[in-house]
Amino acid sequence: MRTYVLEPGHQGLEALRQAEIATPVPGPGEILIRVRACSLNYRDQLLVQGRYFGGPIRTAAIPLSDGAGEVAAIGAGVTRFAVGDRVAGTFFLDWEDGPADARKVATSLGAPPATGMLAEYALLPERAVVPIAPSLSFEEAATLPCAGVTAWNALMEGPRRLQPGDTVLLLGTGGVSLIALQLARAAGAAVIITSSSDAKLERARAMGATHGINYRATPDWGAAAAEAAGPNGISHIVEVGGPGTIAQSMQAIGYGGEIGIIGLLAAEGQSNPLALMTRGATMRGIFVGSRAMAERLNAAVEANGIRPVIDRVFAFDDAVDAYRYQSGSDLFGKVVISV
């Protein structure tokens, strides 16, 4: 089968090469997926650059955590799926349900020692596979295992589930933020979103965002977001920036609200937690989520007619170009690779 491999000892896109390897055969409890589409996340850029948790990879690995396709073969004892079923992998191989712990999040797709999805076939344990929403294409379904579950976890799985009439603040127009916008609107919440591009803000408004803030034109965007939210304040912030944006997010959060810490897009910055204390607000670390969360997300996507936003689809042979595009400034939504 054709695949891509990240080679240890290299950093940057020169570490990514196409290869031919043997198609795996499912053993007991395993499922062989004929992958039809994959999507890219910021994490995949960090892995190529040798900046993911633990530093540069030490063994060759097939990249990408997110992929969808159909079941090509099953091993002995598999009961949840049959050949031909439309499925996707889950980000973590061992987090099926319940709270996270060190064992459940130890192994994730696309990072050694686990395999990844950027290949014609992927072999996964049955526990790490979910059905995809019937209304979605393979390309759309491939956008959800990481970004979609992350957004779902941030909005729907915390101690204060998003409610109709709440207000959500989203940072930027990448994959996590746009699926969070769709989920929040389906839940009856108002959405404030930031971007450095007025054109992107207009596109977000067309999707249902109720207020857009250009953070370059409005450097104190946290206060602007709090003002736009009105007296009830912001209940949830999907915080994809990290250290460089958290101070503004703390200024934006409302009383009793929650900041879901997700990303590291803005790696440098300082913050003072006083605003959290005075508002009784909290921060919660979001590290994707469980298989059960993925199943609940897929049910919500189907019930609400949500179609994930795909910016561009690249051919399998153009995967390196997909990485380049996904790291650029034109991104609006998800980048997908057709397999």
Side-chain angles (χ1 to χ4, degrees):
M1 70 174 187
R2 293 188 304 159
T3 184
Y4 278 86
V5 176
L6 281 176
E7 294 286 3
H10 299 274
Q11 293 185 21
L13 291 178
E14 64 270 16
L16 187 65
R17 67 173 180 85
Q18 196 172 147
E20 283 275 351
I21 63 174
T23 302
V25 176
E30 293 181 328
I31 292 174
L32 182 67
I33 300 172
R34 173 58 175 100
V35 180
R36 297 299 182 182
C38 300
S39 77
L40 284 160
N41 296 286
Y42 181 63
R43 168 197 193 242
D44 301 310
Q45 300 286 347
L46 295 179
L47 279 160
V48 166
Q49 297 161 13
R51 297 194 295 118
Y52 195 57
F53 301 130
I57 62 171
R58 295 177 176 84
T59 58
I62 297 173
L64 302 194
S65 61
D66 290 15
E70 67 257 345
V71 175
I74 59 175
V78 170
T79 59
R80 294 175 54 238
F81 298 98
V83 171
D85 286 351
R86 289 163 28 98
V87 297
T90 60
F91 185 87
F92 292 111
L93 297 185
D94 299 306
W95 187 4
E96 296 181 67
D97 201 357
D101 60 36
R103 180 194 65 82
K104 292 176 181 177
V105 302
T107 309
S108 56
L109 283 174
T115 188
M117 300 298 290
L118 189 52
E120 290 180 319
Y121 291 89
L123 184 65
L124 298 180
E126 181 182 21
R127 65 180 179 274
V129 177
V130 294
I132 64 177
S135 61
L136 298 187
S137 67
F138 288 125
E139 289 79 10
E140 291 167 328
T143 70
L144 296 179
C146 180
V149 174
T150 296
W152 176 266
N153 188 355
L155 297 177
M156 301 298 185
E157 298 285 344
R160 186 184 183 283
R161 183 186 174 97
L162 189 68
Q163 299 294 321
D166 284 347
T167 299
V168 174
L169 173 61
L170 306 174
L171 310 187
T173 55
V176 173
S177 293
L178 290 188
I179 188 64
L181 166 58
Q182 293 171 301
L183 292 170
R185 294 299 291 147
V191 174
I192 302 168
I193 194 165
T194 70
S195 175
S196 63
S197 164
D198 289 337
K200 290 182 180 182
L201 291 175
E202 284 302 314
R203 293 178 69 181
R205 288 190 187 96
M207 292 177 58
T210 46
H211 195 87
I213 300 172
N214 187 315
Y215 62 80
R216 295 201 189 279
T218 309
D220 194 11
W221 51 265
E227 181 178 0
N232 291 331
I234 293 169
S235 65
H236 292 75
I237 299 177
V238 181
E239 176 40 93
V240 300
T245 57
I246 192 63
Q248 291 289 330
S249 289
M250 287 193 292
Q251 291 303 311
I253 195 67
Y255 286 89
E258 179 184 280
I259 302 173
I261 303 295
I262 289 166
L264 297 169
L265 294 175
E268 296 182 1
Q270 296 181 346
S271 58
N272 185 328
L274 182 62
L276 292 181
M277 180 188 75
T278 58
R279 298 172 193 172
T282 59
M283 290 188 191
R284 181 166 66 98
I286 308 292
F287 196 12
V288 194
S290 65
R291 188 188 83 201
M293 292 182 199
E295 291 168 341
R296 290 191 283 271
L297 165 66
N298 286 331
V301 164
E302 187 68 15
N304 292 283
I306 292 173
R307 308 300 293 264
V309 178
I310 296 174
D311 186 315
R312 284 187 62 181
V313 178
F314 288 81
F316 185 80
D317 289 336
D318 298 327
V320 173
D321 292 332
Y323 272 81
R324 290 194 184 99
Y325 182 82
Q326 197 250 359
S327 64
S329 60
D330 293 334
L331 184 69
F332 188 89
K334 296 289 289 184
V335 171
V336 171
I337 299 169
S338 179
V339 181

